[in-house]
Amino acid sequence: MDVPLYAWLAVFGIIAVMLAVDLFAHRKAHVIGVREAAIWSVIWVLIGISFGVVIWVTAGAEFGQQYYAGYLIEKSLAVDNVFVWAIIFAAFAVPRQYQHRVLFLGVLGALVLRGIFIAAGAVLIENFSWILYVFAAFLIFTGYRMIRTRNEHAHPEKSQVLRLFRRFIPMTETFHGQRLLVRKNGILLATPLLAVLVLVEVTDVVFAVDSIPAIFAVTSEPFIVFTANAFAILGLRAMYFLLADLMHRFVYLKIGLSLVLIWVGVKMLLLDVFYIPTTVSLSVIALIIAVSVMLSLRATRGQGRREFEAAPVGSFREATPEELAQMEPVWRRSARTPEQKAQNAEQKAQNAEQKAEQKAEQKKVNETLR
């Protein structure tokens, strides 16, 4: 598939326009309801399907089917990603009106990171064709592991990333609107939203390790892999707000996703032995997802929407008007009075003392474990 430079530029332009429209539509923090989430979900899905039609018409049916197979794989695996987001938001008690901004920045970072992963994967496949067998074995193993651990869910409190974040970056316990950073007494502090954003980005990297090799199982064209990923990811925020309160109903979906990974892994493993047409592969993936969703909804019939719950990782709350008034400009530091400078020095001394105490306690724990 020979993709001209203007086609890549056109795709990047479309993505930039879509992100700008989405950011403008949600420029003010507000709670996104089911109706709004459903409308945006339909919009993003229609855009993704329409782009597949363009590929089908311009490049042929085979490439069009490859795009739809990749899009369906990414969209399906994204549901598991949405579930982890729900755990993170619930654990940090993130107010609903601030969640969209975090997901917008998270998706923006995901597009960049996945573009890098896709480029690296394409180079590896181009120079080392045997890497496809490694991808295949990895997908089959991942699918098997997902089946075994389908009832286990990771919690942010156990995340090494969060522990490192808390250790090296001072963080306030209060939400200050949609701000990621605030300055108090001359000290730059991260808000809980920044910690949440870091966890969201790390989560996407973990899921990309599964989904990108899975798409390479149905197509080796970097343009199709990237666009299928991009148009599926762009609709993740709307999907989250639509499905977050219904995650308890998809009891068999993880098994379905596991079978999808195993199927594409087997397809990739048999690439040089037996060619499975893209039409068959697309049909099998769609059937697995449809059956797992239908069985899940049937098994949980009568259960309504309910807010997701998770064990808290801290006592987070929204800042009071008085606390908001005390905040200083983040990037333009105003002149401080001698009293403020003294408070700043005292705060730094207290932070240094707390860090010393934490290190001493950690040292005692390590010695006890030995």
Side-chain angles (χ1 to χ4, degrees), residues 69 73 136 139-140 143 214 217-218 256-270 274 276-286 288:
I73 289 173
L139 290 173
I140 294 173
V218 295
L257 299 179
S258 305
L259 295 177
V260 168
L261 290 178
I262 293 173
W263 163 253
V264 295
V266 170
K267 179 181 183 298
M268 185 180 286
L269 203 61
L270 298 176
F274 179 75
I276 300 176
T278 305
T279 306
V280 175
S281 182
L282 178 59
S283 301
V284 171
I285 294 170
I288 292 174

Side-chain angles (χ1 to χ4, degrees), residues 244-255:
D245 293 343
L246 293 173
M247 294 309 300
H248 60 282
R249 297 199 59 185
F250 296 99
V251 292
Y252 298 125
L253 183 58
K254 200 159 189 176
I255 296 178

Side-chain angles (χ1 to χ4, degrees), residues 5 33 44 49 52 60 71 89 93 112 255 324 334-335 342 365:
L5 178 60
W44 292 124
I49 292 175
Y71 180 82
F89 284 140
V112 176
I255 296 178
L324 291 174
S334 57
V365 171

Side-chain angles (χ1 to χ4, degrees), residues 89-98 166 171-179 182 184 189-194 196 312-327:
F89 284 140
F92 279 84
V94 180
R96 290 208 170 210
Q97 62 268 30
Y98 306 145
R166 284 177 158 175
M171 185 176 74
T172 178
E173 296 292 308
T174 54
F175 294 99
H176 292 72
Q178 300 186 90
R179 298 176 186 175
V182 294
K184 185 177 181 181
L189 302 171
T191 69
L193 281 187
L194 183 57
V196 172
V313 296
S315 301
F316 302 110
R317 60 178 177 82
E318 290 197 65
T320 63
E322 292 76 15
E323 290 172 325
L324 291 174
Q326 294 174 0
M327 292 299 103

